[in-house]
Amino acid sequence: MKVSPFVRKLILVFGDICCIYFANSLAIMPILGNSEYKFNFEFLSILILLMFFMFNVYGLFSLVRKRLTDIFLNLLVATLNIYIVCIAITYLINELDYSNMTILVSAVLSFVLLGVWQYVCHKWEWNNFPKHHGVLFAKDNEKKILENKLSKTYGLENVLQDVSHGLNDNLWQKKIDENYYVFIGSSLYINEKEAILCYARSKKKQIFLVPTLYELACKNTGLLLVDDIPMQRVTRLLLTDEQRTLKRCIDIIIAILSIILLLPIMILTAIIIKVSSKGPIIYSQERVGLYGKTFFVHKFRSMKQDAEAKCGPVLAAEDDNRITKFGKFIRATRLDELPQLFNVLKGEMSIVGPRPERPFFVEQFVAQNPEYDYRHNVKPGITGLAQIAGKYNTNAYDKLIYDILYIQDVGVKTDLIIMLQTFKVLLTKSSTEGVQNIK
């Protein structure tokens, strides 16, 4: 029996709520030694509200085109966040007399029950999801790159059926007619994109567009009427005074709390670095910050002393022999970034923003794409949209697209979502892959 996507989503959400309810109920059953606790519907309401927020952040209300490993990883991080907040709430509200052990048991049971439920729903969603074919419009190197990326994307491995160079292909309209998905690369001319877009829309096709900076400039535009002529006001990619002030206040609060909570880990990391390899504990390096002003970013040293004495400035590579054994661990877990919390306190960085780069590489990137300088309109950050959506080896132009998307939507909500999603990145090994092998 076919069930509509809306009904399937309602069933998914209802099942999620039931899993939270049963997990909380089982955690306080007498069989587990918690007979002194009564069921608290206020606590359950808090759990469900947190579930709605965290599941929305980690995309757990939409399971189509997601690998099971990604679903379970998102679920693990979301569950941890939910119950960490709950533990904090129980300290603030005396009426919620749940012990930490009860909450821990509830968290484990929630993860198990939700994992089983999400697995069942994922299989159900995938069996009901229609299988369509697609056509790609792109040129030269981008065509090969997109073909490769689409073939590796879960749910799109066998979707691509046709490839076209654009309007020079006499059969481009026929290829759109025969396919459901239309992928448009950034390498096409604007007039070609417009023609393909208009025709595909007229045929009610699902369109995916790789944006250029021109297309991004058309996002979040305001309307200005010049007599009877509509004109779009393009954003200047600058923060307002209110945004800068609020962002700075949040940075200070989070940096202070993080330093207090993470101080034992930072001390232990410093000791291991000192004992395991020669050289300083802290590695300071010049980076480009707000409005192009340089500053020194601080990191726990993960490479051998004088690692670039012979090779000069080089981006870290996969299996880079300059990285120490302990350095591989702190880079993978992002522990090497913790001293940057002091950069945040000094006002040189923000918690969320584009990652700061060295002047040597900035000059190269700006020469290739002058728009790269736009990312310096905000303070650099410890984490950012490019870090949670891309990888270390994502090319500079694609990272720039992510950074501009962030600047256009900067705000407390956006920053909070990026901070929460950073926890997932910490558990994802592929996010730290190097750019190339160094011989």
Side-chain angles (χ1 to χ4, degrees), residues 296-310:
F296 283 90
V297 69
H298 308 302
K299 302 175 71 173
F300 282 123
R301 181 175 56 82
S302 61
M303 289 189 175
K304 299 173 184 177
Q305 190 174 16
D306 300 324
E308 294 184 338
K310 295 181 179 180

Side-chain angles (χ1 to χ4, degrees), residues 14 32 84 163 167 171 199 235 254 335 346 366 423 436:
F14 179 75
L32 296 177
I84 287 173
V163 179
L167 302 187
L171 299 176
Y199 186 78
T235 177
I254 293 179
L335 291 176
K346 290 171 64 178
V366 171
F423 289 108
Q436 61 184 3

Side-chain angles (χ1 to χ4, degrees), residues 284-428:
S284 298
Q285 191 178 69
E286 188 180 23
R287 299 290 178 101
V288 179
L290 182 65
Y291 304 138
K293 183 180 178 181
T294 59
F295 69 101
F296 283 90
V297 69
H298 308 302
K299 302 175 71 173
F300 282 123
R301 181 175 56 82
S302 61
M303 289 189 175
K304 299 173 184 177
Q305 190 174 16
D306 300 324
E308 294 184 338
K310 295 181 179 180
C311 63
V314 178
L315 293 173
E318 191 72 9
D319 298 322
D320 197 323
N321 56 18
R322 299 175 300 167
I323 303 174
T324 64
K325 290 182 179 179
F326 186 63
K328 291 180 181 179
F329 171 75
I330 62 175
R331 288 172 73 93
T333 55
R334 302 304 200 283
L335 291 176
D336 62 324
E337 311 284 358
L338 292 182
Q340 292 169 36
L341 290 168
F342 294 98
N343 286 114
V344 174
L345 282 181
K346 290 171 64 178
E348 298 166 331
M349 293 181 65
S350 179
I351 297 294
V352 180
R355 285 294 296 158
E357 194 50 82
R358 286 186 271 181
F360 176 84
F361 294 117
V362 169
E363 290 177 5
Q364 294 181 354
F365 296 149
V366 171
Q368 295 169 3
N369 297 290
E371 301 90 347
Y372 188 86
D373 208 33
Y374 294 159
R375 68 199 299 276
H376 300 131
N377 285 353
V378 297
K379 286 182 183 179
I382 297 178
T383 186
L385 182 58
Q387 281 61 55
I388 64 171
K391 303 176 182 179
Y392 179 83
N393 59 7
T394 299
N395 67 63
Y397 184 81
D398 288 338
K399 286 183 178 179
L400 173 61
I401 296 294
Y402 285 126
D403 290 334
I404 289 180
L405 283 170
Y406 166 72
I407 297 172
Q408 288 181 322
D409 292 326
V410 67
V412 175
K413 179 183 175 182
T414 302
D415 283 6
L416 179 58
I417 290 174
I418 291 175
M419 290 180 209
L420 289 171
Q421 290 183 335
T422 300
F423 289 108
K424 175 191 171 184
V425 176
L426 298 178
L427 302 175
T428 307

